[in-house]
């Protein structure tokens, strides 16, 4: 059981609430929540039905009973808060990006390595059971050599010119928004499932909404009146990628595509077969062959061991994003206990994502093919 693992969530927005629910669902003990002010911390603790003893990060770090800190704050705060937690001997689950620069992500990951503490990053789409099924079929050679990799990650939550979030401001969210926020998820997932490494790319970024309402401390709001500010982060991105083996890939990223709520979609085309996964329809996967195609359905009674392990409900009883988060947190806590769960995304994966984001930014500036920085020593140790 995970009940002996006490965790505190730092950050009381949407994703903080998701972490809180996953902690409980995974069998951990939610020991508190820290919001921007002590007053807000007490208010959220009451609404989440958790102890109100921790109203700031300092009190969390001084509490020896707390083993894990979940960092769910705006991106610019991640390094400072995660570093403080590691220094206090706490394991850390840090929302991506680990940092707004690759150098800082590498430094944070090395600190965790040196302290022998877990630093995990919620690339939770790895935890869809049918994602594991596709990966297992790739490992067994079902698809053959890859011919093409392509896909998209589309949302519409910033389509309105009056929508605003702290993520839009580079001071809070970092120099990349749409790609760093969701494109990084696609790249992590596809590299892990397909067993490839993208080594170079050429990217173009676009801002389709030139001004938005002045910033807000909340995760999302819509305002029609008042002053507006220039948008300095991208709404859309298109990326052409090439793997170390020379396979081409394409990725389209958007936070302004009407009707697309959270559509992470990829297709892997191999010499012997193809596979498609759509995060908005996670209970099925499409498998293609030259003589036809078929859908497979998530089913704990069939398929790979990992697909069965992560199937928390019987076939036909829909699983989704929240179940992925629960499985991720359960695996993170298992790793803290000394187990070695398959596919747990750690700091090394956060470093990888930071390097991909920086390559996208460099390419958009130079308008050229750009190398993705090679794996650092920490990453190589996790390979």
């Amino acid at each position: 059981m995970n009940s002996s693992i006490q965790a505190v969530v730092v950050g009381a927005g949407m994703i903080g609430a998701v972490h809180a629910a996953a902690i409980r669902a995974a069998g951990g003990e939610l020991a508190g929540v820290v919001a921007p002010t002590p007053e807000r911390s007490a208010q959220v603790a009451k609404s989440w039905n958790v102890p109100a003893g921790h109203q700031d990060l300092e009190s969390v770090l001084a509490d020896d009973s707390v083993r894990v800190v979940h960092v769910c704050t705006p991106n610019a705060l991640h390094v400072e808060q995660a570093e403080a937690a590691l220094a206090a001997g706490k394991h850390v689950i840090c929302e991506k990006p680990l940092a707004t620069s690759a150098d800082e992500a590498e430094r944070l990951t090395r600190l965790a390595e040196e302290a022998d503490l877990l630093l995990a990053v919620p690339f939770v789409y790895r935890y869809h059971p049918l994602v594991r099924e596709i990966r297992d079929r790739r490992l067994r050679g079902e698809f053959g050599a890859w011919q093409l990799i392509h896909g998209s990650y589309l949302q519409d939550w910033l389509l309105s010119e009056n929508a605003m979030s702290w993520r839009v401001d580079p001071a809070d969210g970092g120099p990349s928004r749409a790609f760093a926020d969701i494109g990084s998820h696609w790249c992590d997932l596809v590299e892990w499932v397909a067993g490839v490494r993208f080594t170079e790319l050429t990217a173009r970024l676009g801002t389709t909404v030139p001004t938005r309402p002045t910033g807000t401390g909340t995760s999302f709001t819509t305002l029609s009146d008042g002053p507006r500010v220039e948008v300095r982060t991208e709404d859309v991105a298109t990326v052409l990628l090439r793997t170390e083996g020379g396979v081409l890939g394409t990725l389209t990223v958007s936070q302004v595509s009407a009707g697309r709520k959270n559509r992470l979609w990829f297709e892997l085309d191999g010499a012997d077969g193809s596979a498609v996964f759509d995060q908005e329809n996670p209970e099925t996967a499409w498998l293609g062959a030259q003589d036809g195609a078929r859908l497979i359905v998530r089913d704990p009674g069939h398929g790979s061991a990992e697909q069965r392990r992560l199937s928390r409900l019987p076939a036909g009883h829909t699983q989704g994003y929240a179940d992925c988060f629960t499985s991720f947190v359960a695996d993170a806590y298992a790793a803290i206990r000394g187990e070695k769960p398959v596919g747990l995304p750690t700091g090394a994966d956060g470093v990888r994502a930071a390097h991909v984001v920086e390559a996208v930014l460099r390419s958009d500036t130079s308008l050229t093919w750009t190398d993705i920085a090679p794996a650092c020593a920490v990453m190589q140790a996790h390979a």
Side-chain angles (χ1 to χ4, degrees):
M1 294 292 292
N2 298 342
S3 57
S4 63
I5 294 181
Q6 292 196 27
V8 170
V9 174
V10 180
M14 179 279 288
I15 200 64
V18 171
H19 279 251
I23 290 167
R24 285 170 160 159
E29 181 179 346
L30 181 57
V33 56
V34 175
T37 67
E39 295 76 18
R40 178 63 177 156
S41 295
Q43 182 183 44
V44 176
K46 182 178 180 180
S47 67
W48 289 5
N49 193 27
V50 298
H54 297 299
Q55 298 186 2
D56 54 41
L57 182 59
E58 289 70 24
S59 70
V60 174
L61 302 185
D63 186 345
D64 290 339
S65 69
V66 175
R67 295 186 65 190
V68 187
V69 174
H70 290 241
V71 177
C72 306
T73 51
N75 302 345
L77 300 176
H78 288 180
V79 170
E80 176 184 354
Q81 293 172 338
E83 184 175 1
L86 291 169
K90 314 294 186 187
H91 301 282
V92 173
I93 295 177
C94 182
E95 269 299 324
K96 53 90 202 145
L98 275 183
T100 55
S101 76
D103 286 346
E104 286 197 317
E106 287 186 3
R107 182 173 63 81
L108 192 63
T109 302
R110 288 195 181 95
L111 288 173
E113 286 275 304
E114 292 164 2
D116 195 25
L117 293 166
L118 176 71
L119 176 60
V121 184
F123 286 118
V124 297
Y125 298 119
R126 294 184 182 193
Y127 282 86
H128 279 296
L130 288 181
V131 161
R132 300 283 174 131
E133 180 68 24
I134 293 171
R135 182 175 185 268
D136 180 78
R137 290 168 182 260
R138 184 266 299 175
L139 288 170
R140 291 188 280 112
E142 181 171 317
F143 305 113
W146 297 126
Q147 311 295 296
L148 180 67
I149 296 170
H150 52 114
S152 59
Y153 197 154
L154 309 176
Q155 299 175 333
D156 71 355
W157 68 288
L158 285 170
L159 178 60
S160 170
E161 64 178 9
N162 295 320
M164 186 56 174
S165 164
W166 59 260
R167 294 181 183 277
V168 174
D169 186 348
D172 291 326
S176 169
R177 188 220 321 154
F179 187 86
D181 188 22
I182 58 178
S184 61
H185 267 297
W186 189 93
C187 289
D188 173 82
L189 185 64
V190 167
E191 286 192 331
W192 187 72
V193 173
V196 300
R197 269 286 193 254
F198 297 121
T199 56
E200 58 179 344
L201 57 81
T202 182
R204 301 296 181 269
L205 307 179
T207 301
T208 64
V209 181
T211 66
R212 294 187 183 273
T214 52
T216 173
T218 60
S219 59
F220 175 74
T221 191
T222 300
L223 300 170
S224 58
D225 299 318
R228 302 179 70 85
V229 294
E230 179 187 1
V231 175
R232 293 177 290 149
T233 52
E234 77 277 4
D235 294 309
V236 297
T238 58
V239 187
L240 178 62
L241 307 116
R242 188 152 46 208
T243 73
E244 56 195 348
V247 180
L248 291 178
T250 63
L251 168 61
T252 301
V253 174
S254 170
Q255 293 179 323
V256 291
S257 293
R260 297 300 190 186
K261 302 306 178 183
N262 198 50
R263 189 177 188 260
L264 187 163
W265 181 94
F266 68 74
E267 178 164 338
L268 311 175
D269 295 331
D272 300 322
S274 299
V276 171
F277 180 78
D278 177 1
Q279 200 279 150
E280 287 190 337
N281 296 285
E283 291 286 86
T284 61
W286 181 93
L287 300 178
Q290 202 163 20
D291 61 352
R294 64 191 178 102
L295 289 179
I296 58 171
V297 179
R298 181 191 64 80
D299 187 344
H302 300 279
S304 67
E306 279 293 288
Q307 191 257 134
R308 296 178 186 219
R309 178 177 80 89
L310 297 177
S311 287
R312 294 179 165 272
L313 297 171
H317 298 72
T318 305
Q319 286 189 201
Y321 177 77
D323 300 289
C324 290
F325 234 103
T326 297
S327 295
F328 160 74
V329 171
D331 271 7
Y333 289 0
I336 289 171
R337 297 195 306 272
E339 300 175 31
K340 297 186 181 299
V342 174
L344 176 67
T346 64
D349 301 295
V351 171
R352 170 64 179 173
H355 280 302
V356 175
V357 170
E358 290 194 348
V360 165
L361 290 170
R362 291 196 307 272
S363 177
D364 180 63
T365 299
S366 66
L367 304 182
T368 61
W369 279 92
T370 301
D371 290 338
I372 301 172
C376 67
V378 174
M379 288 179 59
Q380 291 169 344
H382 282 79

